[in-house]
Amino acid sequence: MLQIEPRLTLVDLTHLIAPQDLWAARFHLMNAVPYFPQGTVHLAVVDPGVGTARRSIALAFAQGWLVGPDNGIFSGVLDRFPPQRAVALTNRGYWRVQDPSTTFHGRDIFAPAAAHLAQGVDLENLGEKIPLETLVRISLPAYHRHENQIVGCVQHIDRFGNLITNIPSTALPSPDQPWWVELKSDINRVTIPSALAYGAVPQGQLLALVGSHGWVEIAVNGGNAQAMLNVSRGSTWVLSIIFDD
Amino acid sequence: MLQIEPRLTLVDLTHLIAPQDLWAARFHLMNAVPYFPQGTVHLAVVDPGVGTARRSIALAFAQGWLVGPDNGIFSGVLDRFPPQRAVALTNRGYWRVQDPSTTFHGRDIFAPAAAHLAQGVDLENLGEKIPLETLVRISLPAYHRHENQIVGCVQHIDRFGNLITNIPSTALPSPDQPWWVELKSDINRVTIPSALAYGAVPQGQLLALVGSHGWVEIAVNGGNAQAMLNVSRGSTWVLSIIFDD
Amino acid sequence: MLQIEPRLTLVDLTHLIAPQDLWAARFHLMNAVPYFPQGTVHLAVVDPGVGTARRSIALAFAQGWLVGPDNGIFSGVLDRFPPQRAVALTNRGYWRVQDPSTTFHGRDIFAPAAAHLAQGVDLENLGEKIPLETLVRISLPAYHRHENQIVGCVQHIDRFGNLITNIPSTALPSPDQPWWVELKSDINRVTIPSALAYGAVPQGQLLALVGSHGWVEIAVNGGNAQAMLNVSRGSTWVLSIIFDD
């Protein structure tokens, strides 16, 4: 990219997504993109389908541009910011080489496209327009409310072992209404009180709180909730927020 | 930060501090800060007390500025460079949002303060002045000299498995006086010769030397001293430097 | 480096080389260097011999400069781009301090040299010229062709668990001639079909393909070949590419 545009400001969001973990990439992009400057070009490469028929794409949205594989990686961003225009990266004039690697489009197709966008090249120059409704989208099961419960799931586990649910803070009852979380498996039930910050409960104790990206999360003050509860993403535990109605 | 000041030069010191490990953060900051350009703003976030009453602070010192939680994270830096002026980050006009997350002041309070300082905003604009003697400090047990011994402890273990003690090279006898390290547990005693460089002893052999930040460290040439000795930070082994008096 | 030249564009290639793993450093440099802009200064520090008699060097080559220990770390780059001029970094005027650490020449000798080169200082100013044929080189056993087989080895295993051989795509038969890989140990034989991309075989299946840097590699679609085959770099498995002659 610096070969194309030496004045770029490069920011690495993360290189620690587990191989092929589209869901983690979706989560990090969704949460990080809003904090970048207006006009940023976001390049993302978690690309298990590289070299197959999956399209290479670039999109315009309210905050800037997205460049990567058309495999759902941008779904979280696009749930918040609808896509405005999209192209398939079919214009070989903007590829690094005429015969790109079948295993690394990040280097040969996406990165040059991103650098050219940052340089001011029009999105439409990079390839054929594609209908927005044909973009591949992936999505979580929705949380649902049932009487005085909200039933959801764990959508991400961060490096602190915090369990981040798919329930946004906006789904919670009003601030003065108490709530707590219940996790149920076939043989077990754990009730977890809500609090405002990790440090609001004693060291080593479980709590539920609204995390930094606005999702209800389950944490342990000074500890690791994943290790303590042995819950993984997509596990069969039933997760409910319960409140006094 | 780039939203506030797009011309920033960002340098990531490390993202590999273990969760909540204030001591490792203190160690890395203490050792890295002197090598940055004069006027650098250092932003550090290892923040187990986020959302509680612990203060958010910014400090001026001889080499630039420090921004982060008031939890002792800057103690090592401040042992070398006394703080000159300090404020609590109470001026909401310099926060990212009026209602910051209770779990991520790094994003909502510290990062904007750091970007504003880099832009030239006066420290005093960011909030109320606080007395320097009220800053939270953490410190290691001091090493002590007793006859022909210096007794210390392991203050850090780096990713090579080198055991870095709290004994500075300045505490050592004169260059021509031989010295060695003794590690003693209830059931074990290991004597480790000193040398000038890792490669000065045979492959796989223990040595004690002055490491790159000026502390006596215990290493294995081409190997991992932590794994070989099974010593951890804060273990009950007694570590002594012995020299011929 | 920013103390010397504040306008530097810094790009971190990787901080995840295992301690002392010169072969991995050689591999990453060899593959990454060609993609950087003309005139880039490449600084590399995997340096088990630091503090011994091994030389500190800087080199000019067609694409820019290389700075680091003279221990073979640049061998892969130099196999592709012959060195043009080389110096030992003996001019103390370009060191950070007059008495550098015996354990961290990266900070005290290499980094200042790299920053000065980036600033426009002449290579020859940094120290005495050294004959190019005295540069330390490390190299892999060569692959060899024998009738309808090419016998090679695993030169690198990447973080996806792909086994990257020392056989370049240019050694393969013509595109329309079928080929496959055979891995043989004393007790086992695995035959692996070739394909054009990971996604060209079913999920979880082994394949051999030309990887992004032009080497034949063994992979599992959506999985980890190293874990599946339990092969390590330098293992005694015999790796052959076989084709219909």
Side-chain angles (χ1 to χ4, degrees):
Chain A
M1 288 188 283
L2 292 167
Q3 286 179 336
I4 293 166
E5 175 48 74
R7 294 163 306 175
L8 285 179
T9 298
L10 297 169
V11 177
D12 282 331
L13 185 57
T14 176
H15 291 275
L16 299 176
I17 305 273
Q20 327 296 358
D21 191 348
L22 265 180
W23 287 96
R26 169 198 157 277
F27 181 81
H28 286 296
L29 285 165
M30 171 176 69
N31 290 312
V33 159
Y35 302 107
F36 280 82
Q38 175 67 30
T40 295
V41 180
H42 301 274
L43 166 62
V45 191
V46 173
D47 194 10
V50 62
T52 67
R54 76 100 188 83
R55 297 183 294 194
S56 300
I57 55 170
L59 303 168
F61 73 116
Q63 309 244 324
W65 290 271
L66 304 171
V67 180
D70 184 26
N71 61 11
I73 196 172
F74 300 121
S75 299
V77 177
L78 298 179
D79 288 348
R80 296 186 167 192
F81 306 96
Q84 295 172 337
R85 293 169 292 137
V87 300
L89 299 171
T90 50
N91 185 346
R92 288 163 181 258
Y94 289 102
W95 294 2
R96 193 183 64 83
V97 287
Q98 289 307 299
D99 55 333
S101 160
T102 52
T103 63
F104 196 11
H105 288 182
R107 178 191 63 194
D108 293 344
I109 299 179
F110 306 149
H116 283 114
L117 284 171
Q119 217 180 21
V121 167
D122 279 346
L123 182 71
E124 282 70 17
N125 287 352
L126 300 179
E128 305 146 25
K129 263 196 125 157
I130 55 178
L132 299 177
E133 65 277 13
T134 67
L135 294 170
V136 173
R137 302 285 278 265
I138 57 177
S139 56
L140 290 168
Y143 66 90
H144 57 270
R145 186 164 172 160
H146 175 69
E147 294 177 357
N148 68 334
Q149 294 194 15
I150 306 171
V151 179
C153 66
V154 172
Q155 71 165 307
H156 185 72
I157 300 176
D158 70 19
R159 79 174 191 106
F160 300 94
N162 299 325
L163 311 175
I164 300 168
T165 75
N166 66 337
I167 302 169
S169 61
T170 50
L172 289 176
S174 66
D176 50 344
Q177 206 177 350
W179 61 276
W180 60 94
V181 166
E182 218 174 69
L183 272 174
K184 261 189 299 195
S185 70
D186 288 353
I187 53 166
N188 232 323
R189 170 196 300 243
V190 183
T191 301
I192 301 167
S194 65
L196 289 178
Y198 303 125
V201 302
Q203 193 78 0
Q205 193 174 303
L206 281 161
L207 73 155
L209 79 174
V210 175
S212 61
H213 297 298
W215 308 102
V216 172
E217 70 182 49
I218 297 165
V220 170
N221 182 21
N224 185 306
Q226 177 178 31
M228 185 181 287
L229 293 169
N230 196 19
V231 170
S232 57
R233 201 175 68 186
S235 71
T236 56
W237 288 72
V238 174
L239 181 152
S240 318
I241 291 179
I242 305 181
F243 42 93
D244 287 334
D245 233 1
Chain B
M1 289 188 282
L2 291 168
Q3 286 179 336
I4 293 166
E5 174 48 75
R7 294 163 306 174
L8 285 180
T9 296
L10 297 169
V11 176
D12 283 330
L13 185 58
T14 176
H15 290 277
L16 299 177
I17 305 273
Q20 327 297 357
D21 190 349
L22 264 181
W23 286 97
R26 168 198 158 280
F27 181 81
H28 286 296
L29 285 165
M30 171 176 67
N31 290 312
V33 158
Y35 302 107
F36 279 84
Q38 174 67 30
T40 295
V41 181
H42 301 274
L43 166 63
V45 191
V46 173
D47 195 9
V50 62
T52 66
R54 76 100 187 84
R55 297 183 294 191
S56 300
I57 55 171
L59 303 168
F61 74 117
Q63 309 245 324
W65 290 270
L66 304 171
V67 180
D70 184 25
N71 62 11
I73 196 171
F74 299 121
S75 298
V77 178
L78 298 178
D79 288 347
R80 297 187 167 192
F81 306 96
Q84 295 172 336
R85 293 168 292 137
V87 299
L89 300 171
T90 50
N91 184 346
R92 289 163 180 258
Y94 288 102
W95 293 2
R96 193 183 65 84
V97 288
Q98 290 307 299
D99 55 332
S101 159
T102 52
T103 63
F104 196 11
H105 288 183
R107 178 191 63 196
D108 293 343
I109 298 179
F110 305 148
H116 283 113
L117 284 171
Q119 217 181 20
V121 166
D122 281 344
L123 182 71
E124 283 70 18
N125 287 353
L126 300 179
E128 305 146 25
K129 263 198 127 155
I130 54 178
L132 300 177
E133 67 276 14
T134 67
L135 294 171
V136 172
R137 303 285 277 265
I138 59 178
S139 56
L140 291 168
Y143 67 90
H144 58 272
R145 185 163 172 161
H146 175 67
E147 294 177 359
N148 68 333
Q149 295 194 14
I150 306 171
V151 179
C153 66
V154 173
Q155 71 164 308
H156 185 72
I157 300 176
D158 69 19
R159 78 175 193 103
F160 300 94
N162 298 326
L163 311 176
I164 299 167
T165 75
N166 67 336
I167 302 170
S169 61
T170 49
L172 289 176
S174 66
D176 50 344
Q177 205 178 352
W179 60 277
W180 60 92
V181 166
E182 218 175 70
L183 272 174
K184 262 189 298 195
S185 71
D186 287 352
I187 52 167
N188 233 323
R189 169 198 299 243
V190 184
T191 301
I192 302 167
S194 65
L196 288 177
Y198 303 126
V201 302
Q203 192 77 359
Q205 193 175 302
L206 281 160
L207 72 155
L209 79 175
V210 176
S212 61
H213 298 299
W215 309 102
V216 172
E217 70 182 50
I218 297 164
V220 171
N221 182 20
N224 185 307
Q226 177 178 32
M228 185 182 287
L229 294 169
N230 198 19
V231 169
S232 58
R233 202 174 64 186
S235 70
T236 55
W237 288 73
V238 175
L239 182 151
S240 317
I241 290 178
I242 305 182
F243 42 93
D244 287 334
D245 235 358
Chain C
M1 288 189 284
L2 292 167
Q3 286 179 336
I4 293 165
E5 175 47 75
R7 294 162 307 174
L8 285 180
T9 297
L10 297 169
V11 176
D12 284 329
L13 184 59
T14 176
H15 291 276
L16 299 176
I17 306 274
Q20 327 295 359
D21 191 348
L22 265 181
W23 286 97
R26 170 199 156 277
F27 181 81
H28 285 297
L29 285 165
M30 170 176 67
N31 290 312
V33 159
Y35 302 107
F36 281 82
Q38 175 66 32
T40 296
V41 181
H42 301 274
L43 166 63
V45 192
V46 173
D47 195 9
V50 63
T52 66
R54 76 100 187 84
R55 297 182 294 193
S56 300
I57 54 170
L59 304 168
F61 73 117
Q63 310 243 324
W65 290 270
L66 304 172
V67 181
D70 183 25
N71 61 11
I73 197 172
F74 300 121
S75 298
V77 178
L78 298 179
D79 288 347
R80 298 187 166 191
F81 306 97
Q84 296 172 337
R85 292 170 291 137
V87 299
L89 300 170
T90 49
N91 184 346
R92 290 165 180 257
Y94 290 101
W95 293 3
R96 195 183 64 82
V97 289
Q98 289 308 300
D99 55 334
S101 160
T102 52
T103 63
F104 196 11
H105 288 183
R107 178 191 63 195
D108 294 343
I109 299 179
F110 306 148
H116 284 114
L117 284 172
Q119 218 180 18
V121 168
D122 280 345
L123 182 70
E124 282 70 18
N125 287 352
L126 301 179
E128 306 146 24
K129 262 196 127 156
I130 54 179
L132 299 177
E133 66 276 15
T134 66
L135 293 170
V136 173
R137 303 286 278 265
I138 57 178
S139 57
L140 290 168
Y143 67 90
H144 58 271
R145 186 164 170 161
H146 175 69
E147 295 179 356
N148 69 333
Q149 294 194 16
I150 305 170
V151 179
C153 66
V154 172
Q155 71 165 308
H156 185 72
I157 300 177
D158 70 18
R159 77 175 192 105
F160 299 95
N162 299 326
L163 310 176
I164 299 168
T165 75
N166 66 337
I167 303 169
S169 61
T170 50
L172 288 176
S174 67
D176 49 344
Q177 205 177 350
W179 61 277
W180 60 93
V181 166
E182 218 175 69
L183 273 174
K184 262 189 299 195
S185 71
D186 288 351
I187 53 166
N188 233 323
R189 170 198 300 245
V190 183
T191 301
I192 303 168
S194 66
L196 288 176
Y198 304 125
V201 302
Q203 193 78 1
Q205 193 175 304
L206 281 160
L207 72 154
L209 80 173
V210 176
S212 61
H213 297 298
W215 308 102
V216 172
E217 70 181 50
I218 298 165
V220 172
N221 182 21
N224 186 307
Q226 177 178 31
M228 186 181 286
L229 293 170
N230 197 21
V231 170
S232 58
R233 202 175 62 186
S235 71
T236 56
W237 288 72
V238 175
L239 181 150
S240 319
I241 291 178
I242 304 181
F243 43 92
D244 287 334
D245 233 359

